[in-house]
Amino acid sequence: MQEIVGVVQGRREGHGFVIPDEGGDDIYLPPEEMRHLVHRDRVSVRVVRMDRKGRPEGHVLDILERPTKTIIGRLLQESGTWLVAPEDRRYGQDIIVPEAAVAHATMGQVVVVELTEPPSLHGQSVGRIIEVLGEADDAGMEIDIAVRKYDVPHTFSEACQKAAAKLPVQVRPAERKGRIDLRDVPLVTIDGEDARDFDDAVYCEPAKVGRGKGWRLLVAIADVSHYVKSGEAIDVDAFERATSIYFPRRVIPMLPEKLSNGLCSLNPGVDRLCMVCDMLVNAKGEVHAYQFYPAVMHSHARMTYTQVADILANTRGPLAQQYDSLLPEFMHLNAVYQALLAARKLRGAVDFETTETQILCDDSGRIAQIVPRTRNEAHRLIEEAMLAANVCAADFIQNSKHIGIFRVHEGPTPERQNVLRAYLKALGIGMTIGDDPKPEDFQAIAEATKDRSDAQQIHTMLLRSMQQAIYTPHNSGHFGLAFEAYTHFTSPIRRYPDLLVHRVIKAILTGGHYTLPNIPLANASTDPFRKKLAAKVAPPQRAIAAPAETGKKRGKAAAPSNFEEMQAWEAAGLHCSANERRADEASRDVESWLKCQYMRGHLGEVFTGTVTSVTTFGLFVTLDAMYVEGLIHITELGGEYFRFDEARQELRGERTGTRYGAGTRMRIQVSRVDLDARKIDFVPAQDDLPRQGGAANGAAKPGRKNGKPDAQRAGAAPSGSGERQGNRQERRAELQPERSGRAGGAKKSSAKTSRNASARKSRKR
């Protein structure tokens, strides 16, 4: 009879769940309980029974908070009544709009409706239209929908715009005072062809390190903190956004364009203010010494990854001759990269290679082609340089005893360790993890299985056994990258935590102390994320009482100057973590919409693909040629029982023994595309249905090798066209968000079998 407080999470089928604030099992709410609730309501509930699936079922006692004020959807008219059908299916009810509140909208348009009356047990929600976005097929509509669906701030405040307008257009002479002049040092930027802002530049030269040879590596980062003053108008907007969001053909920036593409972009041929991490790296790839200082620089070239890779591959080619004055620097950069890479391998950091994709759009904003994004040596070179600078920043803050923010990535929980061990044992892999797993254990398993046809699934299971990375003032290391301390220093144009790190470093250099400004630390859109993430952050008392373990470079955790200050840093870290998740979800939503719209033109066509994930309700298949994923529902696999083997992550037919697992090669037909639900359905091609007995066509068997290219191709992961490639190595070493729920999600189901023939009759299409 305990009263539980939590946030309502709706489902498109009409029921919902309460996610408890204090953690624990989600509480099921049947459709009759959801009639007077709205997705994201904060409620108090009492568990009244266990339902037939063994889930705790709740009764709502009170609605504590209604954060949802506006909903985006499509305007419809039924029997003379105007309705708005929510675009987000988690809002299970349509909103009635009185005719006087329709404004100038017309039927079928996408609108934003403000709720004027909440739903009740005997009536639907009522609202009024406050914004008309346009027709559903308008170019860029999917982005307009996503930014409102996820409450992404997409317009700068008037105060922010006025403050940005007052900034100079170039570096003024007075701003160079007190800075190291590096304008004669040939620093260069290396980015993708489609990059518009350049927040990092690099330079390398040979140097004597200790008694041996080594390199001096300079990583110069745009000095955003010089222009974005703590607590002022631009800073308030930047904190609210916390990150830039990259969509195909459009970016929602964290900072106004005058800063992100102007004053704070290290464009070639102009003076720019920067913060420099100046490192000495020895022949083993270890950072022997480092220092931070403010400087003024003058980028000598804007290079692309393709150009630098071409120069490194052919030092006598035409491109190398064109940049002959910079050729020695590129060679030195490559040499220090090779040393850093060797140190990375020795450290045992996790590095799972996956095929990333790029969406190419036509002039109307629709997908023209989805192509693999090739990572070359220049990508990896910049990645290693940025990682080295980030580690130095974390070490500098930690040794100074100043409160700061770290990028923390923890290893697997005991529960996830047990699941992973059972999975590896079921597949017959002769390797496992110990009771205190290390990053090198995961990397060793990945290396040993990289040539298997089910390598992608194995690597996914390895990643999902870890926890998601978060921002927090309590340093506990970065498990995936195998660092004792790690933070983000290299992208202050597009990440707020990096901006905070710059401010802390500047305060330490001047002997001062940086205190967070008194800016809002809460909003309705990120509260649910923050409550979940809070369970992963040690409270201040625990951090003081139990300092970090000692290691080669790790000292005692810095005691906070006061309890309130540490709480403020915790809140800032949780806010940034929550907004990072929100940005990822919004980007995936747009990509899913574009892919669904793209596949509508291929209905009925047959393609080849690879099974990349298996669930209780079917198979997810990624197409070879298009890198698009769709679902083959279990009801389409033939008229027999299929049992889901959780340990092996496969479906097995009880009568024929037919097996479908990760790595299974299939020919499929595109059967259905649901643009509103972001779903693509496949069915097996007629000649690809399994015959009696044995594995399905190309089904993966433990230990069997069907070729590396297909296994890699199956792992295609979409990526925004504008996101900096230099941070991908870190993202690959951290847990990526799990597949969002579909047809009930990928959660465990108590039903392990399905009678396909009978289920087909009741399947909702």
Side-chain angles (χ1 to χ4, degrees):
M1 302 299 291
Q2 180 185 2
E3 184 176 322
I4 300 172
V5 175
V7 177
V8 173
Q9 189 174 88
R11 291 287 191 273
R12 65 192 301 262
E13 295 84 1
H15 62 270
F17 293 90
V18 172
I19 315 301
D21 290 350
E22 303 299 327
D25 293 337
D26 297 348
I27 301 167
Y28 173 73
L29 295 178
E32 54 267 24
E33 288 286 338
M34 288 294 296
R35 285 178 190 162
H36 66 296
L37 298 175
V38 178
H39 171 63
R40 299 197 309 176
D41 280 354
R42 193 161 182 266
V43 299
S44 63
V45 298
R46 180 172 293 156
V47 176
V48 293
R49 65 177 65 87
M50 303 300 286
D51 73 357
R52 59 186 179 83
K53 293 185 177 181
R55 301 174 296 191
E57 182 177 316
H59 169 67
V60 176
L61 301 175
D62 192 16
I63 300 172
L64 305 176
E65 186 181 353
R66 298 211 107 126
T68 300
K69 306 299 182 186
T70 60
I71 295 176
I72 187 170
R74 194 173 301 185
L75 183 63
L76 305 174
Q77 191 175 40
E78 295 181 1
S79 303
T81 302
W82 290 100
L83 302 169
V84 171
E87 200 282 336
D88 189 341
R89 297 298 185 88
R90 292 175 296 184
Y91 295 100
Q93 303 179 34
D94 295 343
I95 299 101
I96 296 175
V97 180
E99 189 166 357
V102 173
H104 59 282
T106 59
M107 190 169 68
Q109 287 187 315
V110 179
V111 299
V112 178
V113 60
E114 180 184 53
L115 297 181
T116 56
E117 294 181 25
S120 66
L121 290 174
H122 307 290
Q124 293 175 247
S125 303
V126 179
R128 65 184 185 92
I129 294 173
I130 59 173
E131 184 179 7
V132 179
L133 299 182
E135 303 298 330
D137 290 332
D138 288 351
M141 179 57 68
E142 68 281 357
I143 298 177
D144 289 331
I145 290 174
V147 296
R148 290 164 176 82
K149 178 177 177 180
Y150 294 97
D151 292 322
V152 174
H154 55 283
T155 57
F156 289 104
S157 66
E158 184 177 350
C160 176
Q161 295 180 51
K162 288 182 178 179
K166 295 178 181 178
L167 293 171
V169 295
Q170 59 187 7
V171 176
R172 293 171 292 200
E175 294 175 315
R176 302 190 191 114
K177 293 181 179 179
R179 292 176 175 267
I180 304 297
D181 192 340
L182 298 179
R183 286 177 292 177
D184 60 333
V185 177
L187 286 151
V188 298
T189 61
I190 305 176
D191 295 87
E193 282 80 0
D194 54 357
R196 294 178 59 196
D197 53 68
F198 315 109
D199 50 10
D200 56 78
V202 291
Y203 168 77
C204 186
E205 64 183 14
K208 187 175 182 180
V209 181
R211 297 182 179 181
K213 295 181 178 180
W215 302 268
R216 182 188 180 195
L217 174 63
L218 271 64
V219 174
I221 307 298
D223 191 358
V224 177
S225 63
H226 178 81
Y227 300 103
V228 181
K229 302 299 183 182
S230 184
E232 295 186 356
I234 300 176
D235 188 45
V236 172
D237 277 33
F239 178 83
E240 183 184 13
R241 298 178 179 218
T243 181
S244 297
I245 306 180
Y246 294 87
F247 300 110
R249 289 169 51 94
R250 182 177 168 187
V251 178
I252 306 295
M254 186 181 79
L255 299 173
E257 187 174 1
K258 188 172 184 179
L259 286 168
S260 60
N261 293 343
L263 269 175
C264 294
S265 182
L266 306 182
N267 301 321
V270 294
D271 291 353
R272 287 289 183 258
L273 305 183
C274 61
M275 284 294 294
V276 176
C277 180
D278 193 338
M279 297 168 276
L280 287 177
V281 182
N282 64 25
K284 295 181 179 180
E286 300 167 341
V287 177
H288 178 76
Y290 65 82
Q291 62 177 328
F292 288 91
Y293 50 81
V296 57
M297 61 163 286
H298 191 97
S299 175
H300 285 228
R302 180 272 199 259
M303 305 296 296
T304 68
Y305 296 119
T306 304
Q307 289 174 324
V308 174
D310 186 292
I311 291 172
L312 294 177
N314 185 6
T315 56
R316 296 184 179 181
L319 198 59
Q321 293 179 10
Q322 179 182 345
Y323 293 98
D324 60 333
S325 61
L326 295 174
L327 181 59
E329 180 187 347
F330 294 139
M331 300 303 294
H332 300 325
L333 282 169
N334 186 53
V336 75
Y337 152 64
Q338 296 294 339
L340 291 169
L341 185 63
R344 172 191 176 85
K345 293 178 179 178
L346 186 64
R347 200 170 66 244
V350 176
D351 186 12
F352 301 152
E353 283 292 342
T354 58
T355 301
E356 297 176 348
T357 59
Q358 180 180 6
I359 293 178
L360 303 180
C361 296
D362 56 25
D363 293 337
S364 65
R366 300 294 183 249
I367 292 180
Q369 193 178 6
I370 302 174
V371 298
R373 189 192 289 269
T374 304
R375 292 179 65 253
N376 54 43
E377 288 299 285
H379 288 102
R380 298 179 178 90
L381 183 156
I382 291 298
E383 287 172 352
E384 289 297 337
M386 298 303 115
L387 291 178
N390 285 337
V391 171
C392 291
D395 188 72
F396 187 64
I397 293 173
Q398 183 163 266
N399 289 337
S400 72
K401 310 303 181 185
H402 194 297
I403 302 177
I405 201 162
F406 298 93
R407 181 69 167 179
V408 169
H409 182 229
E410 296 185 345
T413 62
E415 294 78 14
R416 293 185 180 186
Q417 290 180 35
N418 292 333
V419 171
L420 180 60
R421 291 189 192 101
Y423 173 73
L424 296 173
K425 182 178 179 180
L427 290 188
I429 298 172
M431 305 176 69
T432 189
I433 58 174
D435 294 334
D436 183 21
K438 307 297 181 186
E440 54 263 32
D441 300 336
F442 287 77
Q443 187 62 24
I445 295 171
E447 285 291 324
T449 58
K450 65 181 181 180
D451 291 330
R452 290 172 55 121
S453 61
D454 55 354
Q456 181 62 37
Q457 179 68 18
I458 294 171
H459 293 181
T460 299
M461 288 295 291
L462 291 172
L463 281 171
R464 287 185 177 176
S465 69
M466 304 178 201
Q467 301 181 52
Q468 285 186 311
I470 61 172
Y471 294 107
T472 170
H474 306 291
N475 175 44
S476 57
H478 196 292
F479 182 86
L481 294 173
F483 287 133
E484 295 286 344
Y486 186 74
T487 192
H488 279 166
F489 165 77
T490 56
S491 297
I493 289 178
R494 65 178 186 87
R495 289 190 308 221
Y496 196 82
D498 303 54
L499 179 56
L500 291 177
V501 168
H502 277 234
R503 289 172 178 166
V504 170
I505 289 175
K506 279 188 172 181
I508 296 169
L509 291 175
T510 57
H513 183 86
Y514 175 69
T515 303
L516 285 170
N518 185 23
I519 50 182
L521 297 177
N523 64 68
S525 65
T526 59
D527 268 349
F529 293 99
R530 191 180 300 114
K531 289 183 176 68
K532 286 184 179 180
L533 290 167
K536 299 182 179 180
V537 179
Q541 298 95 323
R542 190 186 312 166
I544 298 170
E549 294 179 6
T550 57
K552 291 182 179 179
K553 294 185 179 180
R554 182 182 294 185
K556 291 186 177 181
S561 58
N562 58 69
F563 183 83
E564 291 75 18
E565 184 179 11
M566 182 61 80
Q567 282 189 317
W569 278 95
E570 287 178 344
L574 293 170
H575 172 85
C576 293
S577 301
N579 280 276
E580 180 185 41
R581 306 292 188 271
R582 180 176 66 178
D584 288 341
E585 288 190 2
S587 297
R588 286 197 302 271
D589 189 80
V590 168
E591 289 181 351
S592 296
W593 193 97
L594 287 171
K595 288 182 177 181
C596 286
Q597 197 274 341
Y598 179 56
M599 292 306 293
R600 283 201 303 186
H602 297 281
L603 282 169
E605 296 183 23
V606 175
F607 301 94
T608 57
T610 304
V611 175
T612 51
S613 183
V614 183
T615 71
T616 57
F617 52 84
L619 312 170
F620 284 97
V621 178
T622 299
L623 304 185
D624 294 342
M626 297 181 174
Y627 303 93
V628 171
E629 185 181 71
L631 172 70
I632 299 180
H633 198 271
I634 195 171
T635 58
E636 304 291 351
L637 296 178
E640 69 168 310
Y641 284 106
F642 276 89
R643 180 179 294 274
F644 175 60
D645 187 332
E646 186 175 10
R648 293 180 179 273
Q649 291 290 302
E650 69 178 18
L651 290 174
R652 182 188 296 270
E654 289 193 343
R655 178 168 53 85
T656 63
T658 300
R659 296 184 296 108
Y660 293 93
T664 300
R665 301 282 295 144
M666 299 186 70
R667 294 181 71 250
I668 62 89
Q669 184 178 35
V670 183
S671 63
R672 181 174 177 268
V673 175
D674 186 340
L675 197 61
D676 292 334
R678 314 290 196 264
K679 292 182 178 180
I680 302 171
D681 286 342
F682 298 152
V683 296
Q686 290 301 313
D687 58 348
D688 204 64
L689 285 172
R691 295 173 176 80
Q692 293 285 355
N697 178 31
K701 295 181 178 179
R704 178 179 174 184
K705 298 181 180 180
N706 284 351
K708 182 178 179 180
D710 286 334
Q712 289 183 335
R713 178 176 292 172
S719 61
S721 60
E723 186 177 354
R724 174 108 170 96
Q725 284 282 338
N727 297 284
R728 296 292 170 79
Q729 189 177 85
E730 178 194 334
R731 294 299 292 268
R732 287 195 304 277
E734 296 176 358
L735 172 64
Q736 299 302 308
E738 294 190 22
R739 187 187 314 283
S740 57
R742 173 169 180 174
K747 292 186 176 181
K748 296 179 182 178
S749 171
S750 58
K752 294 293 183 181
T753 60
S754 174
R755 170 65 74 180
N756 297 3
S758 60
R760 187 179 293 113
K761 295 179 182 179
S762 61
R763 183 184 180 193
K764 295 181 180 180
R765 301 297 296 176

